[in-house]
Amino acid sequence: MTDQPTRVSRRWLYIPFIVAGLVLLGYFLLWRAGAAQMKKATEVWIEDQRAAGLEISHDAIRAGGFPFFLRVFIEAPDIASPDGWRWRAGELIMDALPYDLNRLIFSPQGEQTIYTERLGEWRITAGDLRASIANDKQRQWVFSMTVGEAHSVRTADGAETRLESLIFDLAPSAEDLTTLTLNLAAKGFAARIAGEDYSAADFQTLMAISQTQALAPPDPVPAWRAAGGELTIARLYADVEQTKLALSGALHLDRYAYPEGALNAEISNPAGLARLLGKTGALSPAEAEAAAAGLTLAAIAGGGKIAAPIDFKNGAAEIAGVKIADLPSIQ
């Protein structure tokens, strides 16, 4: 008698699909619970900020983003502070990864409006604008922002700015949590304000500010100075108004709250820097012309550039014996 081949029941072929369906269903239920929790946490945060004094309004809040993100949409967010600033947007999207809840990403959509008493109201659009806050084992937290192809216009007078790209990270130092570090890189900045044109092809800096625990109300500036607070510039490079500038050094505040210290500087085509300082009001027009002439002579003597410290003292900044700015008292 010939053995018949064993016939596999067709129902066994469905088992992998059933398992995959159960896994997908379980993931969806987990995602839905996470999205609901994230939406609830957003609503709680809004109420906490209202209790702290902020004025917050918005339209619908809804969850989405399946399957890759835990996502919350806030329509027409409007946040204002009693001390005079306000931010509005068409929509704000907040994202978190289902498998990594330690990082939250914010993406405003549509035109934004920012108002401060000093700068007025600006309407802002950007091809790319994202900010994130993340937990970090060594530094506690890291705040990051990416901006691309941004354009802003001031409502009152039509002043405008353009920015090709901006990337920066702000976080406590791993070595000392009371020190904040800033790493920033910007390209393609241009502005026209009050009839003056400004431009910066490139700007990069790595700096740190120490004793930040002292920067708390009611008197942060005197407290920070008394604590020995210092601004340290590890490196700063700028291509501004056709002037190339490299700086490093440290500054603190003197007893009258003016910046004090020295920055090692290397400057090519320094006349452009003097003209920029004149346009911003750091120098009077006559002082700007005198500074441009003096710095040009110093650059010629130095083979086309100036390599000398910029001294900050007695409410002024000077390099190679030439005054380049009247310094503000920090309040």
Side-chain angles (χ1 to χ4, degrees), residues 140-178:
Q140 293 190 336
W141 57 268
V142 178
F143 177 79
S144 302
M145 178 175 285
T146 300
V147 181
E149 300 299 335
H151 177 230
S152 67
V153 178
R154 185 155 58 190
T155 304
D157 59 3
E160 64 177 325
T161 69
R162 294 185 182 275
L163 180 64
E164 181 181 324
S165 66
L166 170 69
I167 299 173
F168 82 80
D169 296 310
L170 178 69
S173 168
E175 290 74 28
D176 180 2
L177 296 178
T178 67

Short mmCIF file of all heavy atoms in Angstrom, two decimals, residues 140-178:
data_model
loop_
_atom_site.label_atom_id
_atom_site.label_comp_id
_atom_site.label_asym_id
_atom_site.label_seq_id
_atom_site.Cartn_x
_atom_site.Cartn_y
_atom_site.Cartn_z
N GLN A 140 20.53 67.17 31.35
CA GLN A 140 19.15 67.33 31.82
C GLN A 140 18.19 67.63 30.67
O GLN A 140 17.17 66.96 30.53
CB GLN A 140 19.03 68.42 32.89
CG GLN A 140 19.73 68.06 34.20
CD GLN A 140 19.42 69.02 35.32
OE1 GLN A 140 19.07 70.18 35.11
NE2 GLN A 140 19.59 68.57 36.55
N TRP A 141 18.48 68.64 29.86
CA TRP A 141 17.58 68.98 28.76
C TRP A 141 18.37 69.64 27.63
O TRP A 141 19.45 70.18 27.84
CB TRP A 141 16.44 69.91 29.22
CG TRP A 141 16.92 71.19 29.85
CD1 TRP A 141 17.14 71.42 31.17
CD2 TRP A 141 17.27 72.42 29.18
NE1 TRP A 141 17.60 72.71 31.38
CE2 TRP A 141 17.69 73.34 30.17
CE3 TRP A 141 17.26 72.83 27.85
CZ2 TRP A 141 18.08 74.65 29.86
CZ3 TRP A 141 17.67 74.13 27.54
CH2 TRP A 141 18.06 75.02 28.54
N VAL A 142 17.80 69.57 26.42
CA VAL A 142 18.38 70.21 25.24
C VAL A 142 17.25 70.84 24.44
O VAL A 142 16.26 70.17 24.10
CB VAL A 142 19.13 69.21 24.34
CG1 VAL A 142 19.67 69.92 23.09
CG2 VAL A 142 20.25 68.53 25.10
N PHE A 143 17.37 72.14 24.15
CA PHE A 143 16.41 72.82 23.28
C PHE A 143 17.07 73.08 21.93
O PHE A 143 18.19 73.60 21.88
CB PHE A 143 15.96 74.14 23.89
CG PHE A 143 15.01 74.92 23.00
CD1 PHE A 143 13.68 74.58 22.93
CD2 PHE A 143 15.46 75.97 22.21
CE1 PHE A 143 12.80 75.28 22.11
CE2 PHE A 143 14.61 76.67 21.39
CZ PHE A 143 13.27 76.32 21.34
N SER A 144 16.40 72.71 20.84
CA SER A 144 16.95 72.87 19.50
C SER A 144 15.93 73.55 18.60
O SER A 144 14.72 73.42 18.80
CB SER A 144 17.33 71.51 18.90
OG SER A 144 18.26 70.83 19.70
N MET A 145 16.44 74.27 17.59
CA MET A 145 15.56 74.91 16.61
C MET A 145 16.21 74.88 15.24
O MET A 145 17.43 75.03 15.12
CB MET A 145 15.25 76.36 17.01
CG MET A 145 14.37 77.09 15.99
SD MET A 145 13.89 78.77 16.52
CE MET A 145 12.65 78.37 17.75
N THR A 146 15.38 74.66 14.22
CA THR A 146 15.81 74.70 12.83
C THR A 146 14.87 75.62 12.07
O THR A 146 13.64 75.49 12.17
CB THR A 146 15.77 73.30 12.19
OG1 THR A 146 16.64 72.43 12.91
CG2 THR A 146 16.21 73.35 10.74
N VAL A 147 15.43 76.57 11.32
CA VAL A 147 14.65 77.51 10.53
C VAL A 147 15.20 77.51 9.11
O VAL A 147 16.41 77.51 8.91
CB VAL A 147 14.72 78.95 11.10
CG1 VAL A 147 13.86 79.90 10.26
CG2 VAL A 147 14.27 78.96 12.55
N GLY A 148 14.31 77.50 8.13
CA GLY A 148 14.74 77.56 6.74
C GLY A 148 13.85 78.48 5.91
O GLY A 148 12.62 78.43 6.03
N GLU A 149 14.47 79.32 5.09
CA GLU A 149 13.76 80.20 4.16
C GLU A 149 12.67 81.00 4.89
O GLU A 149 11.49 80.95 4.55
CB GLU A 149 13.14 79.40 3.01
CG GLU A 149 14.15 78.64 2.17
CD GLU A 149 15.18 79.57 1.50
OE1 GLU A 149 14.87 80.75 1.28
OE2 GLU A 149 16.30 79.09 1.21
N ALA A 150 13.09 81.77 5.88
CA ALA A 150 12.16 82.56 6.68
C ALA A 150 12.09 84.00 6.17
O ALA A 150 13.09 84.56 5.71
CB ALA A 150 12.57 82.55 8.15
N HIS A 151 10.91 84.59 6.30
CA HIS A 151 10.68 85.98 5.89
C HIS A 151 9.76 86.62 6.90
O HIS A 151 8.75 86.03 7.32
CB HIS A 151 10.03 86.01 4.50
CG HIS A 151 9.70 87.40 4.03
ND1 HIS A 151 8.46 87.74 3.52
CD2 HIS A 151 10.43 88.55 4.01
CE1 HIS A 151 8.46 89.02 3.19
NE2 HIS A 151 9.64 89.53 3.48
N SER A 152 10.11 87.82 7.36
CA SER A 152 9.27 88.53 8.32
C SER A 152 9.08 89.97 7.90
O SER A 152 9.97 90.57 7.30
CB SER A 152 9.88 88.46 9.73
OG SER A 152 11.09 89.19 9.78
N VAL A 153 7.91 90.52 8.22
CA VAL A 153 7.55 91.90 7.89
C VAL A 153 6.93 92.54 9.13
O VAL A 153 6.05 91.95 9.77
CB VAL A 153 6.56 91.97 6.72
CG1 VAL A 153 6.17 93.41 6.45
CG2 VAL A 153 7.15 91.32 5.47
N ARG A 154 7.40 93.75 9.48
CA ARG A 154 6.81 94.47 10.60
C ARG A 154 5.57 95.20 10.14
O ARG A 154 5.59 95.94 9.14
CB ARG A 154 7.81 95.44 11.22
CG ARG A 154 7.28 96.13 12.47
CD ARG A 154 8.39 96.61 13.39
NE ARG A 154 9.31 97.51 12.73
CZ ARG A 154 10.47 97.91 13.27
NH1 ARG A 154 10.83 97.45 14.46
NH2 ARG A 154 11.27 98.73 12.62
N THR A 155 4.48 95.02 10.85
CA THR A 155 3.19 95.58 10.44
C THR A 155 3.21 97.10 10.38
O THR A 155 2.66 97.70 9.45
CB THR A 155 2.09 95.12 11.43
OG1 THR A 155 2.09 93.69 11.50
CG2 THR A 155 0.72 95.60 10.97
N ALA A 156 3.88 97.75 11.33
CA ALA A 156 3.79 99.20 11.44
C ALA A 156 4.46 99.95 10.29
O ALA A 156 3.91 100.93 9.79
CB ALA A 156 4.39 99.65 12.78
N ASP A 157 5.63 99.49 9.85
CA ASP A 157 6.38 100.29 8.87
C ASP A 157 6.91 99.51 7.67
O ASP A 157 7.62 100.05 6.83
CB ASP A 157 7.56 100.98 9.57
CG ASP A 157 8.52 99.98 10.22
OD1 ASP A 157 8.30 98.76 10.10
OD2 ASP A 157 9.49 100.43 10.87
N GLY A 158 6.58 98.21 7.58
CA GLY A 158 7.03 97.42 6.44
C GLY A 158 8.47 96.98 6.50
O GLY A 158 8.99 96.43 5.51
N ALA A 159 9.17 97.22 7.61
CA ALA A 159 10.53 96.69 7.75
C ALA A 159 10.49 95.18 7.56
O ALA A 159 9.53 94.52 7.96
CB ALA A 159 11.08 97.04 9.13
N GLU A 160 11.53 94.62 6.94
CA GLU A 160 11.50 93.19 6.67
C GLU A 160 12.86 92.55 6.86
O GLU A 160 13.90 93.21 6.78
CB GLU A 160 10.97 92.90 5.27
CG GLU A 160 11.82 93.42 4.14
CD GLU A 160 11.24 93.03 2.78
OE1 GLU A 160 10.68 91.93 2.65
OE2 GLU A 160 11.35 93.85 1.85
N THR A 161 12.84 91.25 7.12
CA THR A 161 14.06 90.45 7.24
C THR A 161 13.89 89.15 6.45
O THR A 161 12.76 88.67 6.27
CB THR A 161 14.38 90.09 8.70
OG1 THR A 161 13.41 89.16 9.18
CG2 THR A 161 14.39 91.32 9.58
N ARG A 162 15.01 88.61 5.99
CA ARG A 162 15.04 87.31 5.34
C ARG A 162 16.18 86.49 5.92
O ARG A 162 17.23 87.04 6.26
CB ARG A 162 15.19 87.45 3.82
CG ARG A 162 14.01 88.12 3.15
CD ARG A 162 14.14 88.14 1.62
NE ARG A 162 13.02 88.83 1.00
CZ ARG A 162 11.86 88.25 0.73
NH1 ARG A 162 11.69 86.95 0.98
NH2 ARG A 162 10.89 88.95 0.18
N LEU A 163 15.96 85.19 6.01
CA LEU A 163 16.98 84.30 6.57
C LEU A 163 16.96 83.00 5.80
O LEU A 163 15.91 82.34 5.69
CB LEU A 163 16.70 84.05 8.06
CG LEU A 163 17.67 83.13 8.79
CD1 LEU A 163 19.06 83.75 8.84
CD2 LEU A 163 17.17 82.85 10.21
N GLU A 164 18.12 82.63 5.27
CA GLU A 164 18.21 81.38 4.51
C GLU A 164 18.12 80.16 5.42
O GLU A 164 17.37 79.23 5.16
CB GLU A 164 19.52 81.35 3.72
CG GLU A 164 19.73 80.12 2.87
CD GLU A 164 21.06 80.16 2.14
OE1 GLU A 164 21.48 81.26 1.73
OE2 GLU A 164 21.68 79.08 2.00
N SER A 165 18.90 80.16 6.50
CA SER A 165 18.87 79.01 7.41
C SER A 165 19.40 79.40 8.78
O SER A 165 20.22 80.30 8.92
CB SER A 165 19.69 77.84 6.85
OG SER A 165 21.07 78.17 6.81
N LEU A 166 18.90 78.70 9.79
CA LEU A 166 19.35 78.90 11.17
C LEU A 166 19.24 77.57 11.90
O LEU A 166 18.20 76.90 11.83
CB LEU A 166 18.51 79.95 11.88
CG LEU A 166 18.71 80.08 13.40
CD1 LEU A 166 20.08 80.66 13.69
CD2 LEU A 166 17.63 80.94 14.03
N ILE A 167 20.29 77.19 12.60
CA ILE A 167 20.29 76.01 13.45
C ILE A 167 20.92 76.39 14.78
O ILE A 167 22.00 76.98 14.80
CB ILE A 167 21.08 74.84 12.83
CG1 ILE A 167 20.47 74.42 11.48
CG2 ILE A 167 21.12 73.64 13.77
CD1 ILE A 167 21.30 73.39 10.74
N PHE A 168 20.24 76.08 15.89
CA PHE A 168 20.91 76.30 17.17
C PHE A 168 20.45 75.31 18.22
O PHE A 168 19.34 74.77 18.16
CB PHE A 168 20.79 77.75 17.65
CG PHE A 168 19.51 78.10 18.34
CD1 PHE A 168 19.32 77.77 19.68
CD2 PHE A 168 18.52 78.80 17.70
CE1 PHE A 168 18.16 78.13 20.35
CE2 PHE A 168 17.35 79.16 18.36
CZ PHE A 168 17.17 78.82 19.67
N ASP A 169 21.35 75.06 19.18
CA ASP A 169 21.08 74.18 20.31
C ASP A 169 21.42 74.94 21.59
O ASP A 169 22.47 75.58 21.67
CB ASP A 169 21.93 72.92 20.25
CG ASP A 169 21.62 72.06 19.04
OD1 ASP A 169 20.43 71.78 18.81
OD2 ASP A 169 22.56 71.68 18.32
N LEU A 170 20.55 74.84 22.58
CA LEU A 170 20.76 75.46 23.88
C LEU A 170 20.58 74.39 24.94
O LEU A 170 19.57 73.67 24.94
CB LEU A 170 19.75 76.60 24.09
CG LEU A 170 19.81 77.33 25.43
CD1 LEU A 170 21.09 78.15 25.53
CD2 LEU A 170 18.58 78.24 25.59
N ALA A 171 21.55 74.27 25.85
CA ALA A 171 21.48 73.22 26.88
C ALA A 171 22.45 73.54 28.01
O ALA A 171 23.43 74.27 27.81
CB ALA A 171 21.83 71.86 26.28
N PRO A 172 22.21 73.00 29.20
CA PRO A 172 23.21 73.11 30.26
C PRO A 172 24.49 72.37 29.87
O PRO A 172 24.45 71.40 29.10
CB PRO A 172 22.53 72.45 31.47
CG PRO A 172 21.07 72.48 31.16
CD PRO A 172 20.97 72.34 29.67
N SER A 173 25.60 72.81 30.41
CA SER A 173 26.87 72.12 30.19
C SER A 173 26.89 70.81 30.97
O SER A 173 26.43 70.75 32.12
CB SER A 173 28.04 73.01 30.63
OG SER A 173 29.23 72.28 30.68
N ALA A 174 27.45 69.76 30.36
CA ALA A 174 27.56 68.48 31.05
C ALA A 174 28.50 68.57 32.25
O ALA A 174 28.35 67.84 33.22
CB ALA A 174 28.05 67.41 30.08
N GLU A 175 29.47 69.50 32.20
CA GLU A 175 30.42 69.65 33.29
C GLU A 175 29.87 70.49 34.44
O GLU A 175 30.26 70.32 35.59
CB GLU A 175 31.72 70.30 32.79
CG GLU A 175 32.56 69.41 31.88
CD GLU A 175 31.96 69.27 30.49
OE1 GLU A 175 31.24 70.20 30.04
OE2 GLU A 175 32.19 68.23 29.85
N ASP A 176 28.95 71.43 34.14
CA ASP A 176 28.41 72.32 35.17
C ASP A 176 27.00 72.71 34.74
O ASP A 176 26.82 73.50 33.81
CB ASP A 176 29.30 73.56 35.32
CG ASP A 176 28.78 74.53 36.38
OD1 ASP A 176 27.75 74.21 37.01
OD2 ASP A 176 29.39 75.59 36.56
N LEU A 177 26.01 72.20 35.42
CA LEU A 177 24.63 72.42 35.00
C LEU A 177 24.16 73.85 35.20
O LEU A 177 23.10 74.23 34.69
CB LEU A 177 23.69 71.46 35.76
CG LEU A 177 23.90 69.97 35.49
CD1 LEU A 177 22.96 69.13 36.33
CD2 LEU A 177 23.71 69.66 34.00
N THR A 178 24.93 74.67 35.93
CA THR A 178 24.56 76.08 36.08
C THR A 178 25.09 76.93 34.92
O THR A 178 24.84 78.13 34.88
CB THR A 178 25.10 76.66 37.40
OG1 THR A 178 26.54 76.70 37.36
CG2 THR A 178 24.65 75.82 38.58
#
